[in-house]
Amino acid sequence: MASTPTDQSTQCSQLLPKFESVRGFSHVLSEPLEIEDFVVQSMPDASPIRWHLAHTTWFFETFILKRFARNYQPINPMYEYLFNSYYNGIGEQFPRPKRGLLTRPTVAEVMTYRREVDNRMGQLLLEASAEESMVIAPLVELGLHHEQQHQELMLTDLKHALAQNPMYPTYDSSVEPPTGKTTSQSWQEVEGGIIEIGHAGSDFACDNESPRHEALIPSLEIAGRLVTNGEYLQFVQDGGYNRPELWLSLGWNTVQSEQWEAPLYWVRQNDAWHEFTLGGLRRMDEASPVTHISYFEADAFARWQESRLPTEFEWEAASQYVSEDGNFAESRYFHPAPPQATTGLCQMLGDAWEWTSSSYTPYPGFKPPEGTIGEYNGKFMCQQYVLRGGSCATSKSHIRKTYRNFFPPEARWQFTGIRLAR
Amino acid sequence: MASTPTDQSTQCSQLLPKFESVRGFSHVLSEPLEIEDFVVQSMPDASPIRWHLAHTTWFFETFILKRFARNYQPINPMYEYLFNSYYNGIGEQFPRPKRGLLTRPTVAEVMTYRREVDNRMGQLLLEASAEESMVIAPLVELGLHHEQQHQELMLTDLKHALAQNPMYPTYDSSVEPPTGKTTSQSWQEVEGGIIEIGHAGSDFACDNESPRHEALIPSLEIAGRLVTNGEYLQFVQDGGYNRPELWLSLGWNTVQSEQWEAPLYWVRQNDAWHEFTLGGLRRMDEASPVTHISYFEADAFARWQESRLPTEFEWEAASQYVSEDGNFAESRYFHPAPPQATTGLCQMLGDAWEWTSSSYTPYPGFKPPEGTIGEYNGKFMCQQYVLRGGSCATSKSHIRKTYRNFFPPEARWQFTGIRLAR
Amino acid sequence: MASTPTDQSTQCSQLLPKFESVRGFSHVLSEPLEIEDFVVQSMPDASPIRWHLAHTTWFFETFILKRFARNYQPINPMYEYLFNSYYNGIGEQFPRPKRGLLTRPTVAEVMTYRREVDNRMGQLLLEASAEESMVIAPLVELGLHHEQQHQELMLTDLKHALAQNPMYPTYDSSVEPPTGKTTSQSWQEVEGGIIEIGHAGSDFACDNESPRHEALIPSLEIAGRLVTNGEYLQFVQDGGYNRPELWLSLGWNTVQSEQWEAPLYWVRQNDAWHEFTLGGLRRMDEASPVTHISYFEADAFARWQESRLPTEFEWEAASQYVSEDGNFAESRYFHPAPPQATTGLCQMLGDAWEWTSSSYTPYPGFKPPEGTIGEYNGKFMCQQYVLRGGSCATSKSHIRKTYRNFFPPEARWQFTGIRLAR
Amino acid sequence: MASTPTDQSTQCSQLLPKFESVRGFSHVLSEPLEIEDFVVQSMPDASPIRWHLAHTTWFFETFILKRFARNYQPINPMYEYLFNSYYNGIGEQFPRPKRGLLTRPTVAEVMTYRREVDNRMGQLLLEASAEESMVIAPLVELGLHHEQQHQELMLTDLKHALAQNPMYPTYDSSVEPPTGKTTSQSWQEVEGGIIEIGHAGSDFACDNESPRHEALIPSLEIAGRLVTNGEYLQFVQDGGYNRPELWLSLGWNTVQSEQWEAPLYWVRQNDAWHEFTLGGLRRMDEASPVTHISYFEADAFARWQESRLPTEFEWEAASQYVSEDGNFAESRYFHPAPPQATTGLCQMLGDAWEWTSSSYTPYPGFKPPEGTIGEYNGKFMCQQYVLRGGSCATSKSHIRKTYRNFFPPEARWQFTGIRLAR
């Protein structure tokens, strides 16, 4: 975001179109849903759609309107408690695993809440002085990126909820994702040495991408495309889920306790593999990237292939060679698609988040922002792995090459995939 | 669904008005609800309203239409699996604790399901021959009583779900339950000896009320009315929840692990006790019966009072002296009310289910019906206690003096109450 | 116990030989053990042998020596906490599931504790006046019966602990239990009517056997002997563990969650069924009574046989026809044996505790003793079933026809068996 | 076991004295124990002493004797199953959480097992040819280091078990650890740049210390000594355990669910802080290092101090400046002691394992050894943190500056401590 406000426009007023567009996309995503679909929480890690819509609104109300809007009266004092996710600095939180037990505020009431907050936000963005804007605009940017994160979670949480239903309901099958013909894997060289890692410049980035710093990486080869369903199927057929020597110890425990035998949404039906997708149950396409696998599975697959996962630094080094195009939420495929090229480095952005072998830790010298906003990222830097590149459920305007996503190694409900290195 | 039984009316055709009325009452109860309220399951023991509406319909489809309706095609083959509660004879069941994770069929689709089954049922009831009626009519009766049971559960499950919400939503506050002035307890004598227990005659009754048989009871005194909130409050204030000597061992364990300090829906707010009711949060009325207490609490209270709970046989013996009037679902109070008389035996029917000290066991010579319908009651005769008399959530036409309800001793979400004996 | 003390002897002094004999039997039972065997607790329901030896001693110290012995100084103040089982009236208890984590006091120290308490008890029994004896003697009787209960638990807890070891260690194989030839089941008639139930007379009995009262029983037939391994094997081979229609609902849940496929200690080895016994792993004898089955299994077996379990009143009525002989702990078989006769009512006492269909409830008018001793039985009268008749691990002098043992329906580690009725 | 290597001494024969000494130290550590102490397992992460003694013996039997000793007959075929820790390549393992339920083989039998394996090992070491020695000697080295690891676990597992006992039993109080006078913290500079990390040379090292490789570290200051009890007490008194802003999110969850309020073995008694030690309960010494804290606590303390934990690379870079002396198991303090110097870098080796901020990951290019021995380390490289420097329970001959120990962030039962960086 370039910041050269003219006399009449402030940083804030310039943000208004983006504010409306990002907030509006939450409604676009909600359109195909029945009211019932907004309510359920299919596991503690997921949240009801109702909750996502309210929480992202709560974020603007709590961190911006309550602090900066004149004479602001909270729309409902109880919402502060109900829709606080994990900000201890704000106060106690309604217990996360019980989010799916609430039926009020209703979807209609949540939509009213959104509308009212949006109105006040619109007013504030227009009226804020240039000086006020310097404080408010970065918070608005953060709030919009926060909303985009939740838009991705809306899709993945919804998919998980619909998958509980043996009738395999369809969310949106209006756009059919392409299928393809499998190409052989190619390998791209990445030169070793000291490289710069992390966000540079004045555009928006999350705190966890800073500070930019030097890192030492070895020379390596990185796979030209994501691992395909077809390749992963060979791993399954080779007994991959029954061979402890391929797995981390915790991974093997999980395979056994959870009785994993295939990726999360693979369904064996009438002697053929299918995938449950947001467009319903579909025949599995062997050329498309495997998705919904845990770190444990990605790691075991790599070992089976006698290769490994890249570190997040290696990934970031490789990413300099690629454009920022990709299969994002805008495609409305809501599913990874086969690579569009057969050479070069493909699918680095979009399609599926790529597990790296890097634990999620602070960059050297990392300091979370002062105050409650500082709870956004830093306190989660433990027992998670970094994923890079975004997915088919990520908005194009949300992702960056320096973006660090993170999940625990057993998580499977995100659009996760595998890129190999060696 | 027109109902014009001809002269040649059969048992079935005579049942049609009752069929329409009972089935319709499920919709009456659903009217105040938002769509969101139909979806949630607040604990494994409870079910979503959607599920109750569908399951009671499934009962008619499975046990009647599939067997007796000509050329009957199941409305959706998947419903057999989704809406089977616990009939192993029918097939596998969708896991009970996951009922609240389903969003489809939607409420509208469930209502369509009900309408279609009702149409076919109406047709069958009109067309069944006198001979067929002899088989079908008892099943219809059973299905209607089954639906009435679920209507009560709809109210108690809904109350439990709404209670999860710190905003204390109101279900229906159109009829305010009366409050009263506490009267002192009176005691009624019941003569001992050999008495007849269980259902007699040809009216409908559940299998667990049979066979009628002799039982020996001692002479006793039974309390004239239910224990009031005011009396129970004294127990609370006397440290009842902190004195292990008053409790069964399992009860004491439960008090500690669940951190019970008062009945389920008592709420301390602004230095006064309130009750969460289906009409919202209300100031506690001391003259009204205490409700939503477990067997453990009823038993501890009785011990504190140096009295005891009656056995189910003693209760049935005492019940011969009372009329069948009471505070039932028809009052739309949906809450127990103070006794209407100050002498005699009051509140035996309606208001609150009365915990007896009797474990739920088969009557001597009990045989469950042949076939899957035999799973209705018999297999639950273990680790539960018998409750008698119905509650403010029971339909008047559903209850009988010989009726045996049953719940595990820790259950609190039903409208349960305490009648003492000595 | 007749009580006609002579001039020189008091009730207490007359008890001394019995005191020494019962206390000594705990040591007899401990002899075959390695020190390691005294330490472990293989499940929360079981206790280490060390703990049993100390707790039974604690009972005498707490309820007798501390109250009646002159200038009595507790041997170790910490023992009051460590060896209190469940008496809230005495104070807090060391958490039951952690009993197996303690290594001190050592076995040698526990033995010293026993010796010191025995010395003081011996002294007290000799010195108590006739008047004091009237208070003390009943407590001593209670303490000795309490110790005999724990002697049985020592055997069953030990068996459970040894069974965890894939090497199948032997406790005592000095006396080989007899095997036999299966005889066909015979049925004995029991006449119905009003009978007297419960303990009569001045001999020792537990509080739960009182008050004696009238009960009404139907006429019935009761099986002449216990169900044999051979009969139970037919149930297993007939798919008994895979047929939900044979089981109570809770039983079926347990079969599935615990993956039960046979009685607790049945072991399939080299194509033959074996039983793990206190004498080691032995080939299963088809003529011997089946043992280590839960109430759920007893009930399902009876249903499969188209018969039922007797109530505890029916059992007590039938017991008047039998002698008090049987296969008790004194035989040192420590395992049920085939019936010695082929006609009449056999094995009513000894061999295996017989599950009745009666929930464990207080007899009409039951009052637990005043004070902490009142915690002995009454507070457990919930969610358990009554068993009658004693077992091969019970001392002959401990059992009575009116004796009521009780366990939850899923318990299998006691020597439990099945007698049918119809 | 005589050891008279001839002139033609082999690598194996030269190892014999070390073999005898290391194996003997397990017995030295066992001497103060009662038999009961060898049996218990106080949590799934810990093992009984019996098991450690047997498992370390199993290691030599399985990986050396079975492969290299002529005509070797396993001492007991069941031991292969019972004493296999986690080597899937060898076969199934007796379930880890049940190790404390076994009472056989007895301690005496385990000692016999050790003696027999030691005899055969002694023979093999003497008789192995120079060529054979090249294969066997590295395995013996590994087995001895493995035994030393378990010797440390014997001490920490034992401490955890004894701590369950409210009588606070003493293991060994023969040598009183010194107390001291608190000195102020000093800070040592470490220069940044590319450094060599990992093991070099031909001495023994674990696979996880290889390959030696370059890493880039920033310039930093590292604390001159470990954080003291006194400093940590200030954190406690400043409400450290009640301030979520100081904690990682998982750490805060753990503090709340486990109700942590102080380090694991701190005991408040008579208004003074004590520590449970292997020498019994002792008054807390403020100058001694705090120990038995989790990564979460180390991290929160550092945040409270406005500093941080070092990475493992930073620690290794700093370690080049220190000697290899320290307070190890040989001191028999079995507890951390105050620093001996007031300047320079103290306590880097010995006293307490130092939590680093580094997740436990493979070094670039890491390859576990072929075969089952490869399960030793690699498969645990997930969800653990690296600790450096050894502790008061580590043998001096076991530790190296490149040594990488690892535990999950919630682990507290090891002798863990805190060194700050900034």
Side-chain angles (χ1 to χ4, degrees), chain D residues 120-140:
Chain D
R120 291 302 301 265
M121 281 296 300
Q123 207 178 332
L124 181 67
L125 292 178
L126 286 176
E127 294 174 357
S129 68
E131 200 182 341
E132 288 170 324
S133 282
M134 289 174 62
V135 183
I136 296 173
L139 289 169
V140 175

Side-chain angles (χ1 to χ4, degrees), chain C residues 34-37 39-42 78 81-82 94 98 100-107 162 164-167 169, chain D residues 34-37 39-42 78 81-82 94 98 100-107 164-167 169:
Chain C
E34 302 289 343
I35 288 184
E36 290 84 343
D37 297 323
V39 180
V40 304
Q41 176 179 36
S42 53
M78 194 62 91
Y81 168 65
L82 285 179
F94 184 78
K98 293 188 161 191
L101 305 187
L102 298 183
T103 61
R104 320 287 176 93
T106 61
V107 175
L162 294 178
Q164 307 305 309
N165 196 323
M167 301 198 296
Chain D
E34 303 287 345
I35 288 184
E36 290 85 343
D37 298 324
V39 180
V40 304
Q41 176 180 36
S42 53
M78 193 63 89
Y81 168 64
L82 285 178
F94 184 77
K98 294 189 160 189
L101 305 186
L102 299 184
T103 61
R104 321 288 177 91
T106 62
V107 174
Q164 306 305 309
N165 197 322
M167 301 198 295

Side-chain angles (χ1 to χ4, degrees), chain A residues 36-37 78 103-104 106-107 165, chain B residues 36-37 103-104 107 165-166:
Chain A
E36 290 85 343
D37 298 324
M78 193 62 90
T103 61
R104 320 287 177 92
T106 61
V107 175
N165 197 322
Chain B
E36 290 85 343
D37 297 323
T103 62
R104 320 287 177 93
V107 174
N165 197 323

Side-chain angles (χ1 to χ4, degrees), chain B residues 154-232:
Chain B
M154 282 167 66
L155 289 167
T156 53
D157 290 0
L158 176 71
K159 184 171 181 177
H160 192 267
L162 294 178
Q164 306 306 308
N165 197 323
M167 301 197 296
Y168 296 121
T170 294
Y171 162 66
D172 176 20
S173 56
S174 58
V175 182
E176 186 93 12
T179 58
K181 201 164 147 244
T182 308
T183 57
S184 61
Q185 187 61 282
S186 69
W187 295 89
Q188 310 298 316
E189 286 190 17
V190 180
E191 203 181 339
I194 290 184
I195 58 166
E196 294 284 315
I197 291 291
H199 182 70
S202 59
D203 288 2
F204 175 84
C206 288
D207 57 3
N208 63 8
E209 301 165 49
S210 293
R212 188 162 168 89
H213 66 287
E214 294 188 330
L216 181 64
I217 65 161
S219 294
L220 73 147
E221 288 187 329
I222 196 162
R225 59 159 172 72
L226 295 175
V227 169
T228 64
N229 278 327
E231 288 163 339
Y232 199 85

Side-chain angles (χ1 to χ4, degrees), chain B residues 121-140:
Chain B
M121 280 297 299
Q123 205 178 332
L124 180 67
L125 290 178
L126 286 175
E127 293 175 356
S129 68
E131 199 181 341
E132 288 170 325
S133 281
M134 288 173 62
V135 184
I136 296 174
L139 288 170
V140 175

Side-chain angles (χ1 to χ4, degrees), chain A residues 316-330:
Chain A
E316 193 165 324
S319 74
Q320 63 187 297
Y321 304 116
V322 302
S323 83
E324 301 204 329
D325 290 333
N327 168 20
F328 297 110
E330 286 79 0

Side-chain angles (χ1 to χ4, degrees), chain D residues 111-184:
Chain D
M111 292 304 186
T112 301
Y113 177 42
R114 288 183 69 88
R115 207 160 37 239
E116 290 176 357
V117 164
D118 284 353
N119 285 344
R120 291 302 301 265
M121 281 296 300
Q123 207 178 332
L124 181 67
L125 292 178
L126 286 176
E127 294 174 357
S129 68
E131 200 182 341
E132 288 170 324
S133 282
M134 289 174 62
V135 183
I136 296 173
L139 289 169
V140 175
E141 277 276 17
L142 181 62
L144 294 176
H145 278 277
H146 174 257
E147 180 128 6
Q148 288 182 313
Q149 286 182 317
H150 280 276
Q151 286 163 356
E152 177 150 6
L153 292 172
M154 282 167 65
L155 289 167
T156 53
D157 290 0
L158 175 72
K159 184 172 180 176
H160 193 267
L162 294 178
Q164 306 305 309
N165 197 322
M167 301 198 295
Y168 296 120
T170 294
Y171 161 65
D172 176 19
S173 57
S174 58
V175 181
E176 187 92 13
T179 58
K181 201 161 146 248
T182 308
T183 57
S184 61

